[in-house]
Coordinates of all heavy atoms in Angstrom, one line a residue:
M1 N 8.3 1.7 8.9 CA 7.8 0.5 8.4 C 8.8 -0.6 9.0 O 10.0 -0.5 8.9 CB 7.8 0.5 6.9 CG 7.2 -0.7 6.3 SD 7.0 -0.6 4.5 CE 6.1 0.9 4.3
E2 N 8.2 -1.7 9.4 CA 9.0 -2.8 9.9 C 9.7 -3.5 8.8 O 9.2 -3.8 7.7 CB 8.1 -3.8 10.6 CG 8.8 -5.0 11.2 CD 7.8 -6.0 11.9 OE1 6.6 -5.8 11.9 OE2 8.4 -7.0 12.4
K3 N 11.0 -3.9 9.1 CA 11.8 -4.6 8.2 C 12.1 -6.0 8.8 O 12.3 -6.1 10.0 CB 13.2 -3.9 8.0 CG 13.9 -4.2 6.7 CD 15.0 -3.3 6.5 CE 15.6 -3.5 5.1 NZ 16.8 -2.6 4.9
I4 N 12.0 -7.0 8.0 CA 12.1 -8.4 8.5 C 13.1 -9.1 7.6 O 13.2 -8.9 6.4 CB 10.7 -9.1 8.5 CG1 10.8 -10.4 9.2 CG2 10.2 -9.2 7.1 CD1 9.4 -11.0 9.5
K5 N 13.9 -10.0 8.3 CA 14.9 -10.8 7.6 C 14.3 -12.2 7.4 O 13.7 -12.8 8.3 CB 16.2 -10.9 8.4 CG 17.0 -9.7 8.4 CD 18.3 -9.9 9.2 CE 19.1 -8.6 9.3 NZ 20.4 -8.8 9.9
F6 N 14.6 -12.7 6.2 CA 14.2 -14.1 5.8 C 15.4 -14.8 5.5 O 16.3 -14.3 4.8 CB 13.2 -14.1 4.6 CG 11.9 -13.7 4.9 CD1 11.5 -12.3 4.8 CD2 10.9 -14.6 5.3 CE1 10.2 -11.9 5.0 CE2 9.6 -14.2 5.5 CZ 9.3 -12.8 5.4
Q7 N 15.5 -16.1 6.0 CA 16.6 -16.9 5.6 C 16.1 -17.8 4.4 O 15.1 -18.5 4.5 CB 17.1 -17.9 6.7 CG 18.3 -18.7 6.3 CD 18.9 -19.4 7.4 OE1 18.5 -19.3 8.6 NE2 19.9 -20.2 7.2
L8 N 16.8 -17.6 3.3 CA 16.4 -18.3 2.1 C 16.9 -19.8 2.1 O 17.8 -20.1 2.9 CB 17.0 -17.6 0.8 CG 16.6 -16.1 0.8 CD1 17.3 -15.5 -0.4 CD2 15.1 -15.9 0.7
E9 N 16.4 -20.6 1.2 CA 16.7 -22.0 1.2 C 18.2 -22.3 1.0 O 18.8 -23.2 1.5 CB 15.9 -22.7 0.1 CG 14.5 -22.8 0.4 CD 13.7 -23.5 -0.7 OE1 14.3 -23.9 -1.7 OE2 12.5 -23.6 -0.6
D10 N 18.9 -21.3 0.3 CA 20.3 -21.5 0.0 C 21.2 -21.0 1.2 O 22.4 -21.0 1.2 CB 20.8 -20.9 -1.3 CG 20.6 -19.3 -1.2 OD1 20.2 -18.8 -0.2 OD2 20.9 -18.7 -2.3
G11 N 20.5 -20.6 2.3 CA 21.2 -20.1 3.5 C 21.5 -18.6 3.6 O 21.9 -18.1 4.6
T12 N 21.3 -17.9 2.4 CA 21.5 -16.5 2.4 C 20.3 -15.8 3.1 O 19.3 -16.4 3.3 CB 21.7 -15.9 1.0 OG1 20.5 -16.2 0.3 CG2 22.9 -16.6 0.3
E13 N 20.5 -14.5 3.5 CA 19.4 -13.8 4.1 C 19.0 -12.7 3.1 O 19.8 -12.1 2.4 CB 19.9 -13.1 5.4 CG 20.0 -14.1 6.5 CD 20.3 -13.4 7.8 OE1 20.6 -12.2 7.9 OE2 20.3 -14.1 8.9
A14 N 17.7 -12.4 3.2 CA 17.1 -11.3 2.4 C 16.2 -10.5 3.3 O 15.6 -11.0 4.2 CB 16.3 -11.8 1.3
E15 N 16.2 -9.2 3.2 CA 15.4 -8.3 4.0 C 14.3 -7.7 3.2 O 14.5 -7.4 2.0 CB 16.3 -7.1 4.5 CG 17.3 -7.5 5.6 CD 18.0 -6.4 6.2 OE1 18.0 -5.3 5.6 OE2 18.5 -6.5 7.3
F16 N 13.1 -7.7 3.8 CA 11.9 -7.1 3.2 C 11.2 -6.2 4.1 O 11.3 -6.4 5.4 CB 11.0 -8.3 2.8 CG 11.5 -9.2 1.7 CD1 12.0 -10.4 2.0 CD2 11.4 -8.8 0.4 CE1 12.5 -11.3 1.1 CE2 11.9 -9.7 -0.6 CZ 12.5 -10.9 -0.3
Y17 N 10.5 -5.3 3.6 CA 9.6 -4.4 4.4 C 8.2 -5.0 4.5 O 7.6 -5.4 3.4 CB 9.5 -3.0 3.7 CG 10.8 -2.3 3.7 CD1 11.7 -2.4 2.6 CD2 11.2 -1.5 4.8 CE1 12.9 -1.7 2.6 CE2 12.4 -0.8 4.8 CZ 13.3 -0.9 3.7 OH 14.5 -0.3 3.7
V18 N 7.7 -5.1 5.7 CA 6.3 -5.6 5.9 C 5.3 -4.5 5.6 O 5.3 -3.5 6.3 CB 6.1 -6.2 7.3 CG1 4.7 -6.7 7.5 CG2 7.1 -7.3 7.6
E19 N 4.6 -4.6 4.5 CA 3.6 -3.6 4.1 C 2.3 -3.8 4.8 O 1.7 -2.9 5.3 CB 3.4 -3.7 2.6 CG 4.6 -3.5 1.7 CD 5.1 -2.1 1.7 OE1 4.4 -1.2 2.1 OE2 6.3 -1.9 1.4
E20 N 1.8 -5.1 4.9 CA 0.6 -5.4 5.5 C 0.6 -6.9 6.0 O 1.5 -7.7 5.5 CB -0.6 -5.3 4.6 CG -1.0 -3.8 4.2 CD -1.6 -3.1 5.4 OE1 -2.1 -3.7 6.4 OE2 -1.5 -1.8 5.4
Q21 N -0.3 -7.2 6.8 CA -0.4 -8.6 7.2 C -1.9 -8.9 7.4 O -2.7 -8.0 7.7 CB 0.4 -9.0 8.5 CG 0.1 -8.1 9.6 CD 1.1 -8.3 10.8 OE1 1.8 -9.4 10.8 NE2 1.3 -7.4 11.7
T22 N -2.3 -10.2 7.3 CA -3.7 -10.6 7.4 C -3.8 -12.1 7.8 O -2.8 -12.8 7.6 CB -4.5 -10.3 6.2 OG1 -5.9 -10.4 6.5 CG2 -4.2 -11.2 5.0
R23 N -4.9 -12.5 8.2 CA -5.2 -13.9 8.5 C -6.4 -14.3 7.7 O -7.4 -13.6 7.7 CB -5.5 -14.2 10.0 CG -4.2 -14.1 10.9 CD -4.5 -14.5 12.3 NE -4.4 -15.9 12.5 CZ -3.3 -16.6 12.6 NH1 -2.2 -16.0 12.3 NH2 -3.3 -17.9 12.8
I24 N -6.3 -15.4 7.0 CA -7.3 -15.9 6.2 C -7.5 -17.4 6.5 O -6.5 -18.2 6.3 CB -7.1 -15.8 4.7 CG1 -6.9 -14.3 4.4 CG2 -8.2 -16.4 3.9 CD1 -6.4 -14.0 2.9
G25 N -8.6 -17.9 7.0 CA -8.8 -19.3 7.4 C -7.8 -19.8 8.4 O -7.4 -20.9 8.3
G26 N -7.4 -18.9 9.3 CA -6.4 -19.3 10.3 C -5.0 -19.2 9.9 O -4.1 -19.6 10.7
V27 N -4.7 -18.9 8.7 CA -3.3 -18.8 8.2 C -2.9 -17.3 8.1 O -3.6 -16.5 7.5 CB -3.2 -19.5 6.8 CG1 -1.8 -19.3 6.2 CG2 -3.7 -20.9 6.8
A28 N -1.7 -17.0 8.6 CA -1.2 -15.7 8.5 C -0.5 -15.5 7.2 O 0.3 -16.3 6.8 CB -0.2 -15.4 9.7
Y29 N -0.7 -14.3 6.6 CA -0.1 -13.9 5.4 C 0.6 -12.6 5.6 O 0.1 -11.7 6.3 CB -1.1 -13.8 4.2 CG -1.7 -15.1 3.8 CD1 -2.8 -15.6 4.4 CD2 -1.1 -15.9 2.8 CE1 -3.4 -16.8 4.0 CE2 -1.6 -17.1 2.4 CZ -2.7 -17.5 3.0 OH -3.3 -18.7 2.6
L30 N 1.8 -12.4 4.9 CA 2.5 -11.1 4.9 C 2.6 -10.6 3.5 O 2.9 -11.4 2.6 CB 3.9 -11.2 5.5 CG 4.1 -11.6 6.9 CD1 5.6 -11.8 7.2 CD2 3.4 -10.6 7.8
L31 N 2.3 -9.3 3.3 CA 2.6 -8.6 2.0 C 3.9 -7.9 2.3 O 4.0 -7.0 3.2 CB 1.5 -7.7 1.7 CG 1.8 -6.8 0.4 CD1 1.9 -7.7 -0.8 CD2 0.7 -5.8 0.3
V32 N 5.0 -8.2 1.6 CA 6.3 -7.6 1.8 C 6.8 -7.0 0.5 O 6.3 -7.4 -0.6 CB 7.3 -8.6 2.3 CG1 6.9 -9.2 3.7 CG2 7.6 -9.7 1.3
S33 N 7.7 -6.0 0.6 CA 8.3 -5.4 -0.6 C 9.8 -5.4 -0.4 O 10.3 -5.4 0.7 CB 7.7 -4.0 -0.8 OG 8.1 -3.2 0.3
D34 N 10.5 -5.2 -1.5 CA 11.9 -5.3 -1.5 C 12.5 -3.9 -1.3 O 13.7 -3.7 -1.1 CB 12.5 -5.9 -2.7 CG 12.1 -5.2 -4.0 OD1 11.4 -4.2 -4.0 OD2 12.6 -5.7 -5.1
S35 N 11.7 -2.8 -1.3 CA 12.2 -1.5 -1.0 C 11.0 -0.6 -0.7 O 9.8 -1.0 -0.8 CB 12.9 -0.9 -2.2 OG 12.0 -0.5 -3.2
Q36 N 11.2 0.6 -0.3 CA 10.2 1.6 0.0 C 9.8 2.5 -1.1 O 9.1 3.4 -1.0 CB 10.5 2.4 1.3 CG 10.6 1.5 2.5 CD 10.9 2.3 3.8 OE1 11.8 3.1 3.8 NE2 10.0 2.1 4.8
D37 N 10.4 2.2 -2.3 CA 10.1 3.0 -3.5 C 8.7 2.7 -4.0 O 8.2 1.7 -3.8 CB 11.2 2.7 -4.6 CG 12.6 3.0 -4.2 OD1 12.7 3.9 -3.4 OD2 13.5 2.4 -4.8
D38 N 8.2 3.6 -4.9 CA 6.9 3.5 -5.5 C 6.9 2.3 -6.4 O 5.9 1.6 -6.7 CB 6.5 4.7 -6.2 CG 6.1 5.8 -5.3 OD1 5.8 5.6 -4.1 OD2 6.1 7.0 -5.8
E39 N 8.0 1.9 -7.0 CA 8.1 0.8 -8.0 C 8.7 -0.4 -7.3 O 9.3 -1.3 -8.0 CB 9.0 1.3 -9.2 CG 8.5 2.4 -9.9 CD 7.1 2.2 -10.6 OE1 6.9 1.1 -11.1 OE2 6.2 3.1 -10.5
A40 N 8.5 -0.6 -6.1 CA 9.0 -1.8 -5.4 C 8.3 -3.1 -5.9 O 7.2 -3.0 -6.3 CB 8.8 -1.7 -3.9
T41 N 9.0 -4.2 -5.7 CA 8.4 -5.5 -6.1 C 7.9 -6.0 -4.8 O 8.5 -6.0 -3.7 CB 9.5 -6.4 -6.6 OG1 10.1 -5.8 -7.8 CG2 8.9 -7.8 -7.0
A42 N 6.6 -6.5 -4.8 CA 6.0 -7.1 -3.7 C 5.8 -8.6 -3.8 O 5.8 -9.2 -4.9 CB 4.6 -6.5 -3.5
Y43 N 5.8 -9.2 -2.6 CA 5.7 -10.7 -2.5 C 4.7 -11.0 -1.4 O 4.5 -10.2 -0.5 CB 7.0 -11.3 -2.2 CG 8.1 -11.0 -3.1 CD1 9.0 -9.9 -2.8 CD2 8.3 -11.7 -4.3 CE1 10.0 -9.6 -3.7 CE2 9.4 -11.4 -5.2 CZ 10.2 -10.3 -4.9 OH 11.2 -10.0 -5.7
I44 N 4.0 -12.1 -1.5 CA 3.1 -12.6 -0.5 C 3.7 -13.9 0.1 O 4.0 -14.8 -0.6 CB 1.7 -12.8 -1.0 CG1 1.1 -11.5 -1.5 CG2 0.8 -13.4 0.0 CD1 -0.2 -11.6 -2.2
F45 N 3.9 -13.9 1.4 CA 4.4 -15.0 2.1 C 3.3 -15.5 3.1 O 2.5 -14.8 3.6 CB 5.6 -14.7 3.0 CG 6.8 -14.4 2.2 CD1 7.2 -13.2 1.7 CD2 7.7 -15.5 1.9 CE1 8.3 -12.9 1.0 CE2 8.9 -15.3 1.2 CZ 9.2 -14.0 0.7
K46 N 3.3 -16.9 3.3 CA 2.3 -17.4 4.3 C 3.1 -18.1 5.4 O 4.2 -18.7 5.1 CB 1.3 -18.3 3.7 CG 1.8 -19.6 3.2 CD 0.6 -20.4 2.6 CE 1.1 -21.8 2.1 NZ 0.0 -22.6 1.6
D47 N 2.6 -18.1 6.6 CA 3.2 -18.8 7.7 C 2.8 -20.3 7.7 O 1.7 -20.7 7.7 CB 2.6 -18.2 9.0 CG 3.3 -18.7 10.3 OD1 4.1 -19.6 10.2 OD2 3.1 -18.1 11.3
V48 N 3.9 -21.1 7.6 CA 3.7 -22.5 7.5 C 4.3 -23.2 8.7 O 4.4 -24.4 8.7 CB 4.3 -23.1 6.2 CG1 3.6 -22.6 5.0 CG2 5.8 -22.8 6.1
S49 N 4.6 -22.4 9.8 CA 5.2 -23.0 11.0 C 4.1 -23.8 11.8 O 2.9 -23.6 11.6 CB 5.8 -21.9 11.8 OG 4.8 -21.0 12.2
E50 N 4.6 -24.7 12.6 CA 3.7 -25.5 13.4 C 3.2 -24.6 14.5 O 3.8 -23.6 14.9 CB 4.5 -26.7 14.1 CG 5.1 -27.6 13.1 CD 4.0 -28.4 12.3 OE1 3.0 -28.8 12.9 OE2 4.3 -28.7 11.1
D51 N 2.0 -24.9 15.0 CA 1.3 -24.1 16.0 C 2.1 -23.9 17.3 O 2.1 -22.9 17.9 CB 0.0 -24.7 16.4 CG -1.0 -24.6 15.3 OD1 -0.9 -23.7 14.4 OD2 -2.0 -25.4 15.2
D52 N 2.9 -24.9 17.7 CA 3.7 -24.8 18.9 C 5.1 -24.4 18.7 O 6.0 -24.4 19.6 CB 3.7 -26.2 19.6 CG 4.3 -27.3 18.7 OD1 4.5 -27.1 17.5 OD2 4.5 -28.4 19.3
S53 N 5.4 -23.9 17.4 CA 6.8 -23.5 17.1 C 7.1 -22.1 17.7 O 6.2 -21.2 17.8 CB 7.0 -23.4 15.6 OG 8.2 -22.9 15.2
Q54 N 8.3 -21.9 18.2 CA 8.8 -20.7 18.7 C 9.1 -19.7 17.6 O 9.1 -18.5 17.9 CB 10.0 -20.9 19.6 CG 9.7 -21.7 20.9 CD 8.8 -21.0 21.8 OE1 8.9 -19.8 22.0 NE2 7.9 -21.7 22.5
E55 N 9.5 -20.1 16.5 CA 9.8 -19.3 15.3 C 8.8 -19.4 14.2 O 8.4 -20.5 13.9 CB 11.2 -19.6 14.8 CG 12.3 -19.2 15.8 CD 13.7 -19.4 15.2 OE1 13.8 -19.4 13.9 OE2 14.7 -19.5 15.9
A56 N 8.6 -18.3 13.6 CA 7.7 -18.4 12.4 C 8.5 -18.9 11.2 O 9.7 -18.6 11.0 CB 7.1 -17.0 12.1
C57 N 7.8 -19.6 10.3 CA 8.4 -20.1 9.1 C 7.5 -19.7 8.0 O 6.4 -20.1 7.9 CB 8.6 -21.6 9.2 SG 9.3 -22.3 7.7
Y58 N 8.0 -18.8 7.1 CA 7.2 -18.3 6.0 C 7.7 -18.9 4.7 O 8.9 -19.0 4.5 CB 7.3 -16.8 5.9 CG 6.5 -16.1 7.0 CD1 7.0 -15.8 8.2 CD2 5.1 -15.8 6.8 CE1 6.3 -15.2 9.2 CE2 4.4 -15.2 7.8 CZ 5.0 -14.9 9.0 OH 4.2 -14.3 10.0
E59 N 6.8 -19.1 3.8 CA 7.1 -19.6 2.4 C 6.4 -18.6 1.5 O 5.2 -18.2 1.7 CB 6.6 -21.0 2.2 CG 7.4 -22.0 2.9 CD 7.0 -23.5 2.5 OE1 6.0 -23.6 1.8 OE2 7.6 -24.4 3.0
M60 N 7.0 -18.4 0.3 CA 6.3 -17.6 -0.7 C 5.1 -18.3 -1.2 O 5.2 -19.5 -1.5 CB 7.3 -17.2 -1.8 CG 6.8 -16.2 -2.8 SD 8.0 -15.8 -4.1 CE 9.3 -15.0 -3.1
V61 N 4.0 -17.6 -1.4 CA 2.8 -18.2 -2.0 C 3.1 -18.4 -3.5 O 3.3 -17.5 -4.2 CB 1.6 -17.4 -1.7 CG1 0.4 -18.0 -2.4 CG2 1.3 -17.2 -0.3
E62 N 3.0 -19.7 -3.9 CA 3.2 -20.0 -5.3 C 2.0 -20.5 -6.1 O 1.9 -20.4 -7.3 CB 4.4 -21.0 -5.4 CG 5.7 -20.4 -5.0 CD 6.9 -21.3 -5.1 OE1 6.7 -22.4 -5.7 OE2 8.0 -21.0 -4.6
D63 N 1.0 -21.1 -5.3 CA -0.2 -21.6 -5.9 C -1.0 -20.4 -6.5 O -1.3 -19.5 -5.8 CB -1.0 -22.3 -4.9 CG -2.3 -22.8 -5.4 OD1 -2.3 -23.8 -6.2 OD2 -3.4 -22.2 -5.2
E64 N -1.2 -20.4 -7.8 CA -1.9 -19.3 -8.4 C -3.2 -18.9 -7.9 O -3.6 -17.8 -7.7 CB -2.0 -19.6 -9.9 CG -2.3 -18.4 -10.8 CD -1.3 -17.3 -10.7 OE1 -0.1 -17.6 -10.7 OE2 -1.7 -16.1 -10.8
D65 N -4.1 -19.9 -7.6 CA -5.4 -19.7 -7.0 C -5.3 -19.0 -5.6 O -6.0 -18.1 -5.3 CB -6.2 -20.9 -6.9 CG -6.6 -21.5 -8.3 OD1 -6.6 -20.7 -9.2 OD2 -6.8 -22.7 -8.4
E66 N -4.4 -19.5 -4.8 CA -4.2 -19.0 -3.4 C -3.6 -17.6 -3.6 O -4.1 -16.6 -2.9 CB -3.3 -19.9 -2.6 CG -3.0 -19.4 -1.2 CD -2.1 -20.3 -0.5 OE1 -1.4 -21.1 -1.1 OE2 -2.0 -20.1 0.8
L67 N -2.7 -17.4 -4.5 CA -2.1 -16.1 -4.6 C -3.1 -15.0 -5.1 O -3.2 -13.9 -4.5 CB -1.0 -16.2 -5.7 CG -0.2 -14.9 -5.9 CD1 0.6 -14.5 -4.7 CD2 0.8 -15.1 -7.1
Q68 N -4.0 -15.4 -6.0 CA -5.0 -14.5 -6.5 C -6.0 -14.1 -5.3 O -6.4 -13.0 -5.2 CB -5.8 -15.1 -7.6 CG -5.1 -15.2 -8.9 CD -4.8 -13.8 -9.5 OE1 -5.6 -12.9 -9.3 NE2 -3.8 -13.7 -10.3
A69 N -6.4 -15.1 -4.5 CA -7.3 -14.9 -3.4 C -6.7 -13.9 -2.4 O -7.4 -13.0 -1.9 CB -7.7 -16.2 -2.8
V70 N -5.5 -14.2 -2.0 CA -4.8 -13.4 -1.0 C -4.5 -12.0 -1.5 O -4.7 -11.0 -0.8 CB -3.5 -14.0 -0.4 CG1 -2.8 -13.2 0.5 CG2 -3.9 -15.4 0.2
F71 N -4.2 -11.9 -2.8 CA -3.9 -10.6 -3.5 C -5.2 -9.8 -3.4 O -5.1 -8.6 -3.1 CB -3.5 -10.9 -4.9 CG -3.3 -9.6 -5.7 CD1 -2.2 -8.9 -5.6 CD2 -4.3 -9.2 -6.6 CE1 -2.0 -7.8 -6.4 CE2 -4.2 -8.0 -7.3 CZ -3.0 -7.3 -7.2
K72 N -6.4 -10.3 -3.6 CA -7.6 -9.6 -3.6 C -7.9 -9.0 -2.2 O -8.4 -7.9 -2.0 CB -8.8 -10.4 -4.0 CG -8.7 -10.7 -5.5 CD -9.9 -11.5 -6.0 CE -9.8 -11.7 -7.5 NZ -10.8 -12.5 -8.0
V73 N -7.5 -9.8 -1.1 CA -7.7 -9.3 0.2 C -6.8 -8.1 0.5 O -7.2 -7.1 1.0 CB -7.4 -10.4 1.3 CG1 -7.4 -9.8 2.7 CG2 -8.5 -11.5 1.2
F74 N -5.5 -8.2 0.1 CA -4.6 -7.1 0.3 C -5.0 -5.9 -0.6 O -4.8 -4.8 -0.2 CB -3.1 -7.5 0.0 CG -2.5 -8.3 1.1 CD1 -1.9 -9.6 0.8 CD2 -2.4 -7.8 2.4 CE1 -1.3 -10.3 1.8 CE2 -1.8 -8.6 3.4 CZ -1.3 -9.8 3.1
E75 N -5.5 -6.2 -1.7 CA -5.9 -5.1 -2.6 C -7.0 -4.2 -2.1 O -7.1 -3.0 -2.3 CB -6.4 -5.7 -4.0 CG -6.4 -4.8 -5.1 CD -6.7 -5.5 -6.4 OE1 -7.5 -6.5 -6.4 OE2 -6.1 -5.1 -7.4
M76 N -7.9 -4.8 -1.2 CA -9.0 -4.1 -0.6 C -8.5 -3.1 0.5 O -9.3 -2.2 0.9 CB -10.0 -5.1 0.0 CG -10.8 -5.9 -1.0 SD -12.1 -6.8 -0.3 CE -11.2 -8.0 0.8
L77 N -7.3 -3.3 1.0 CA -6.8 -2.4 2.0 C -6.6 -1.0 1.4 O -6.1 -0.8 0.3 CB -5.5 -2.9 2.6 CG -5.7 -4.3 3.2 CD1 -4.4 -4.9 3.7 CD2 -6.6 -4.3 4.4
D78 N -6.9 0.0 2.2 CA -6.9 1.4 1.7 C -5.5 1.9 1.4 O -5.3 2.6 0.4 CB -7.5 2.4 2.8 CG -8.9 2.2 3.0 OD1 -9.6 1.7 2.0 OD2 -9.5 2.5 4.0
D79 N -4.5 1.5 2.2 CA -3.2 2.1 2.0 C -2.2 1.3 1.2 O -1.0 1.5 1.2 CB -2.5 2.4 3.4 CG -2.5 1.2 4.3 OD1 -3.1 0.2 4.0 OD2 -1.7 1.3 5.3
V80 N -2.7 0.4 0.4 CA -1.9 -0.5 -0.4 C -2.3 -0.3 -1.9 O -3.5 -0.4 -2.2 CB -2.1 -2.0 0.0 CG1 -1.3 -2.9 -1.0 CG2 -1.6 -2.2 1.4
D81 N -1.4 0.0 -2.7 CA -1.6 0.2 -4.2 C -0.9 -0.9 -4.9 O 0.4 -0.8 -5.0 CB -1.2 1.6 -4.6 CG -1.5 1.8 -6.1 OD1 -2.4 1.2 -6.6 OD2 -0.8 2.7 -6.7
L82 N -1.6 -1.9 -5.4 CA -1.0 -3.1 -6.0 C -1.3 -3.2 -7.4 O -2.4 -2.9 -7.9 CB -1.4 -4.4 -5.3 CG -1.1 -4.5 -3.8 CD1 -1.8 -5.8 -3.3 CD2 0.4 -4.6 -3.6
E83 N -0.4 -3.8 -8.2 CA -0.6 -4.2 -9.6 C 0.0 -5.6 -9.7 O 1.1 -5.8 -9.3 CB 0.1 -3.2 -10.5 CG -0.5 -1.8 -10.6 CD 0.2 -0.9 -11.5 OE1 0.8 -1.4 -12.5 OE2 0.1 0.3 -11.3
M84 N -0.7 -6.4 -10.4 CA -0.2 -7.8 -10.6 C 0.4 -8.0 -12.0 O 0.0 -7.4 -12.9 CB -1.3 -8.8 -10.3 CG -0.8 -10.2 -10.1 SD -2.1 -11.1 -9.3 CE -1.1 -12.3 -8.4

């Protein structure tokens, strides 16, 4: 499983495992977890970088309606077992 580093707003780095990715309405979303354990905590990030940017810029999805919609898409995937 791919591991990705994120630089947090305070300048520290955090590593997450990329569980799945999808595109909805032209926006890329990542489902990531903090470990490979069965009880891992999962987060959904969306790509907010400019189209011509060389680096991706992801932000955690915080809007409740958007989070629910993207969660439902990830929930439909066969190899993902999610609980909200």
Side-chain angles (χ1 to χ4, degrees):
M1 185 175 306
E2 180 183 0
K3 202 169 188 183
I4 188 169
K5 287 184 182 181
F6 287 89
Q7 184 170 358
L8 305 177
E9 290 179 1
D10 65 2
T12 61
E13 287 187 351
E15 291 187 336
F16 294 101
Y17 294 93
V18 178
E19 302 287 342
E20 289 290 340
Q21 54 188 341
T22 191
R23 287 186 86 71
I24 302 171
V27 178
Y29 291 91
L30 295 178
L31 174 66
V32 301
S33 63
D34 59 359
S35 75
Q36 292 183 309
D37 298 334
D38 288 341
E39 299 297 319
T41 302
Y43 304 94
I44 297 175
F45 287 90
K46 72 176 178 178
D47 186 351
V48 296
S49 57
E50 299 294 324
D51 291 336
D52 59 349
S53 178
Q54 294 292 323
E55 291 188 21
C57 180
Y58 286 92
E59 289 183 357
M60 190 177 296
V61 176
E62 294 181 7
D63 178 76
E64 192 63 34
D65 293 333
E66 181 181 15
L67 185 62
Q68 289 290 333
V70 177
F71 177 81
K72 287 180 182 181
V73 170
F74 282 125
E75 196 173 40
M76 291 188 298
L77 301 173
D78 291 336
D79 56 344
V80 176
D81 183 24
L82 298 173
E83 293 180 24
M84 195 157 208

